[in-house]
Amino acid sequence: MTSLKKIIITVDGWSSCGKSTMARQLAKKLQYIFIDSGAMYRAITLYFIRNEVRLDDATQVVHALQQIKLSFHLNAENGNNEIWLNGENVETFIREMRVAEKVSEVAAIREVREFAVKQQQLIGKDKGIVMDGRDIGTAVFPGAELKIFMTADNEVRVMRRFKELVAKNPSIQMEDVRSNLAQRDHMDSNREVSPLRKADDAIVLDNSHMTPEEQLQLALQWAYEKMTA
Ligand code: CDP
């Protein structure tokens, strides 16, 4: 039997196209670590909101980052790797709309990106990792063995995110979700520091008409090809 090589798998793409779902499925199957890099930017944003950090004041931003300790811990009940901020599980709070509304602005700050990218590279140093985000294949792990760029039709993405959010907050409006996604996609792909773009060697996966099982099978096939190469 050929032994399987440990690799790095990056999953980048637009908001709400199912990156985390697929990265999580893939990691589970391969017994790899799954890291949702977006959760890190969301947790930093939550800290900035709670502490009223002014985003246009570099001194305040740098000082705030020095106070932030992020870590991921496995939740034994649901099997998910959840994010903790300074000793508190913030997984629920970071998904709130008030965080979604600010996160792309926070994620565009150079110091914030340097802070997060350094930790992401450290977590992936021994490979055996699936990480999803916007710049993972381009800036965090440019040498990754398998890079997937995910996309889905706009309205499919809006519906998916709306269903997810309305389950927690029944008063949420579809229009608010639609404009938040559009705004974040615009900011993420137009920012100066490592904007969202497909790495030249990434494979595109459009999952508009795929079930989670179908997308997993496709990605697994790609992963095994790289692991046995
Ligand atoms: O809503 P969705 O799950 O698609 O986004 P997310 O993965 O939770 O990421 C939230 C935000 O963090 C994105 O809109 C980006 O502004 C930022 N982000 C980033 O800049 N770089 C990453 N590697 C991951 C997320």
Side-chain angles (χ1 to χ4, degrees), residues 56-68:
D56 58 357
D57 183 335
T59 313
Q60 273 196 35
V61 167
V62 170
H63 178 75
L65 289 172
Q66 286 164 353
Q67 313 301 314
I68 295 179

Side-chain angles (χ1 to χ4, degrees), residues 15-16 37 42 104 107 113 134-135 161 184 188 191:
S15 300
S16 311
S37 68
R42 285 173 178 267
S104 290
R113 299 210 73 78
R134 302 291 188 286
D135 60 338
R161 184 48 50 99
R184 280 201 288 134
D188 293 346
R191 69 179 173 225

Side-chain angles (χ1 to χ4, degrees), residues 31-74:
Q31 293 184 304
Y32 273 23
I33 298 167
F34 158 61
I35 296 293
D36 170 3
S37 68
M40 299 172 74
Y41 292 99
R42 285 173 178 267
I44 295 167
T45 304
L46 180 66
Y47 182 92
F48 283 12
I49 293 172
R50 284 177 171 176
N51 293 280
E52 296 178 10
V53 175
R54 285 196 44 184
L55 304 185
D56 58 357
D57 183 335
T59 313
Q60 273 196 35
V61 167
V62 170
H63 178 75
L65 289 172
Q66 286 164 353
Q67 313 301 314
I68 295 179
K69 208 173 167 325
L70 299 176
S71 51
F72 285 91
H73 299 276
L74 188 73

Side-chain angles (χ1 to χ4, degrees), residues 62-174:
V62 170
H63 178 75
L65 289 172
Q66 286 164 353
Q67 313 301 314
I68 295 179
K69 208 173 167 325
L70 299 176
S71 51
F72 285 91
H73 299 276
L74 188 73
N75 177 335
E77 272 172 38
N78 57 21
N80 290 338
N81 217 7
E82 296 183 337
I83 193 157
W84 289 54
L85 165 66
N86 295 340
E88 175 194 1
N89 183 337
V90 291
E91 191 62 41
T92 314
F93 304 120
I94 62 163
R95 308 290 161 195
E96 288 172 1
M97 211 49 180
R98 65 182 185 134
V99 173
E101 279 164 7
K102 270 233 160 328
V103 62
S104 290
E105 202 185 332
V106 171
I109 302 172
R110 186 177 297 276
E111 290 81 1
V112 169
R113 299 210 73 78
E114 283 169 3
F115 174 83
V117 169
K118 210 191 284 171
Q119 297 186 33
Q120 290 154 9
Q121 289 173 335
L122 202 65
I123 301 171
K125 72 179 189 336
D126 297 326
K127 302 202 177 186
I129 190 167
V130 188
M131 192 177 288
D132 84 286
R134 302 291 188 286
D135 60 338
I136 312 302
T138 51
V140 182
F141 298 120
E145 288 83 356
L146 174 60
K147 299 180 185 178
I148 301 173
F149 189 86
M150 284 184 69
T151 180
D153 293 347
N154 199 51
E155 278 310 293
V156 171
R157 299 195 284 124
V158 171
M159 263 323 281
R160 283 180 186 162
R161 184 48 50 99
F162 177 71
K163 277 191 192 156
E164 202 175 280
L165 291 172
V166 85
K168 294 179 211 150
N169 174 8
S171 65
I172 200 118
Q173 298 296 309
M174 177 94 82

